[in-house]
Amino acid sequence: MKFLSISRYILAAFWLLSPALPVPLVGQDSTFYLATSDPSRTPSPFIGNGRLGLVIPPLGIGSSPSFKAGLYEHASEDVPRIVSIPAWNAISVYDGRQWLDSERLERSQVDAYQQTVDMRNGLASTSYHWVDGSRRMSVRLQTFISRADTTLSATRLVLAPQYPGRIGVRFAIVGRPEPKRLPLATLEKANPNWRPADIWYPGHMVVRSRNASRTTTGGRLSMTSTPVGRTTTLAQAAEVVWVPTLHQPKIRTKASGDTALIEITFQATRGTSYTFSQITSAVSSDKGEKLVDRAAGRARAASARGYAALARENARAWHRRWQTDIEVHGDPTLQRVVRSMLFYLLCSSDSGTSLGIPPMGLSSAGYYGHIFWDSDTWMFPPLLITHPDIAQALVDFRK
């Protein structure tokens, strides 16, 4: 069924996630949930608000691709392509001996793993026990990209070590490395040995400024960057908050190269839970003056409202979208597939953008992030029926 080009990604994620699907809450409709108990599953799901998309990494934290709708680069001798913006979810956890590294982590080091995408509330949740020899730590995360305020995203991290000793957390915004490019704009023929990843790499953002500082309740991060060959500026700012009662805290900041980070280690008590939150704002403009101040102001104001309030606002915005739904009676499996398709369409489109939808949505740099006839033929009709205000943005793109 070619309902839309992005369905290849959606269905792959669905079939890999669905076998372990539980009903997360009593009385909740399980067809709004995608879940897995396999930390090595691929591909990863993504979430978004139609203007910003984020691939959810297997452990819920760690640098992963994030794409901003309409933000493209154009390098010399290459084709224009959507960029992967600096990673704003580059969080890591320290257990007193090592930092959690998802790429080198063995499966035996992760226990009681569960990752869920709550499509009704636009929320990704990940939980597991990190086992490092005799050390065992419970790690729980929630991440959403706000549908209520489309410049905002938020993560809440809860750690509960089952041993006493020093643990830590690192929050960072990190520029992504420049891709290994092909001169696709001048090549006369393709190499048959090329794989999609050799061609569909994301475009690059050049970091222009970065800053990291302490606050009375946590830390503050910011970064500005521009796409190669373009003049648009992207400003990202994050407010990091932790409780002020952490025992024997040691705090380190770094702002150099492509990195802005704040790191805290502290003496933990066995069985005690420690909660951290990061609220991030991302704004872009062709006029970069004071753009980072705008992003920082939005992040500060949002952080002052608190993670819980932001999560409620995001959920209410998603609930309004789900007032128009496609319902399938008597077949929960098909219902989940249909809802996942509509969910990922909504993750990749929004009203007022005057943008179409790339074939892979805001999930990857597939097809360079270009917008083709797929947007008009396969994605426009269901949006026209269910969310005509968003469908109008696809029409406006063609004007």
Side-chain angles (χ1 to χ4, degrees):
M1 175 177 62
K2 189 168 183 181
F3 183 66
L4 59 159
S5 296
I6 197 174
S7 65
R8 288 193 299 170
Y9 187 98
I10 296 170
L11 289 174
F14 166 73
W15 291 118
L16 288 162
L17 291 171
S18 61
L21 187 75
V23 178
L25 297 172
V26 175
Q28 294 292 317
D29 185 346
S30 67
T31 62
F32 275 106
Y33 294 86
L34 303 174
T36 183
S37 57
D38 181 7
S40 61
R41 83 287 179 274
T42 57
S44 287
F46 78 102
I47 59 174
N49 60 12
R51 297 170 187 257
L52 183 68
L54 173 70
V55 176
I56 301 298
L59 297 182
I61 55 176
S63 177
S64 66
S66 182
F67 300 91
K68 196 172 189 304
L71 195 58
Y72 291 77
E73 58 127 69
H74 194 180
S76 175
E77 297 189 336
D78 201 352
V79 298
R81 57 182 71 239
I82 195 168
V83 297
S84 181
I85 67 174
W88 48 270
N89 64 331
I91 302 172
S92 190
V93 176
Y94 179 65
D95 71 351
R97 287 200 294 223
Q98 63 176 318
W99 290 93
L100 184 57
D101 187 339
S102 59
E103 294 185 0
R104 294 188 298 173
L105 198 68
E106 296 181 3
R107 186 164 181 171
S108 61
Q109 293 179 276
V110 178
D111 185 34
Y113 177 87
Q114 186 76 20
Q115 188 171 80
T116 303
V117 174
D118 175 354
M119 297 185 287
R120 179 166 176 76
N121 295 302
L123 180 69
S125 301
T126 310
S127 63
Y128 48 91
H129 295 146
W130 176 23
V131 182
D132 180 14
S134 61
R135 301 187 176 212
R136 186 180 182 91
M137 185 189 300
S138 170
V139 181
R140 290 180 289 143
L141 298 111
Q142 289 184 335
T143 299
F144 64 86
I145 300 177
S146 179
R147 190 110 211 168
D149 184 335
T150 54
T151 69
L152 297 177
S153 57
T155 296
R156 182 170 64 184
L157 169 66
V158 181
L159 303 178
Q162 301 306 308
Y163 57 92
R166 294 198 72 79
I167 66 171
V169 185
R170 179 186 296 148
F171 297 87
I173 303 176
V174 180
R176 303 189 68 82
E178 189 165 7
K180 181 179 179 181
R181 294 187 183 274
L182 295 171
L184 295 179
T186 58
L187 281 175
E188 296 183 356
K189 62 179 180 179
N191 186 326
N193 295 321
W194 284 343
R195 301 165 300 165
D198 296 324
I199 304 171
W200 291 340
Y201 46 85
H204 183 56
M205 298 288 288
V206 179
V207 174
R208 301 300 184 185
S209 71
R210 77 293 298 156
N211 188 64
S213 61
R214 295 175 57 175
T215 66
T216 56
T217 58
R220 185 166 292 156
L221 306 172
S222 66
M223 181 171 288
T224 62
S225 56
T226 56
V228 171
R230 306 287 191 185
T231 59
T232 302
T233 298
L234 171 70
Q236 297 166 276
E239 290 286 312
V240 179
V241 175
W242 55 74
V243 295
T245 55
L246 298 179
H247 188 48
Q248 297 178 4
K250 292 184 179 180
I251 301 171
R252 180 177 74 92
T253 61
K254 174 186 176 182
S256 63
D258 289 349
T259 300
L261 68 81
I262 185 163
E263 176 184 300
I264 180 169
T265 60
F266 58 96
Q267 195 70 17
T269 302
R270 178 178 181 178
T272 299
S273 294
Y274 301 92
T275 301
F276 306 82
S277 66
Q278 176 182 323
I279 311 300
T280 307
S281 175
V283 295
S284 61
S285 174
D286 289 331
K287 298 179 180 179
E289 295 182 4
K290 297 184 178 180
L291 199 62
V292 72
D293 293 336
R294 284 172 48 194
R298 285 178 174 270
R300 284 196 299 271
S303 183
R305 298 203 304 274
Y307 176 90
L310 297 176
R312 288 192 297 269
E313 293 166 7
N314 174 60
R316 285 195 293 266
W318 272 102
H319 293 174
R320 287 192 291 271
R321 282 299 174 192
W322 286 114
Q323 288 176 0
T324 305
D325 194 4
I326 300 172
E327 294 186 353
V328 178
H329 298 284
D331 192 337
T333 299
L334 180 58
Q335 177 70 86
R336 192 176 298 116
V337 171
V338 171
R339 280 193 172 134
S340 69
M341 288 182 169
L342 184 55
F343 174 71
Y344 280 119
L345 272 179
L346 294 174
C347 285
S348 300
S349 59
D350 193 22
S351 59
T353 62
S354 297
L355 288 171
I357 306 174
M360 306 302 284
L362 296 180
S363 72
S364 81
Y367 299 92
Y368 320 112
H370 293 186
I371 298 169
F372 299 102
W373 57 269
D374 306 61
S375 178
D376 309 278
T377 304
W378 303 113
M379 306 184 198
F380 174 75
L383 286 173
L384 179 62
I385 295 170
T386 58
H387 301 281
D389 61 318
I390 295 180
Q392 182 65 50
L394 277 65
V395 174
D396 292 342
F397 173 72
R398 296 301 184 188
K399 289 182 178 179

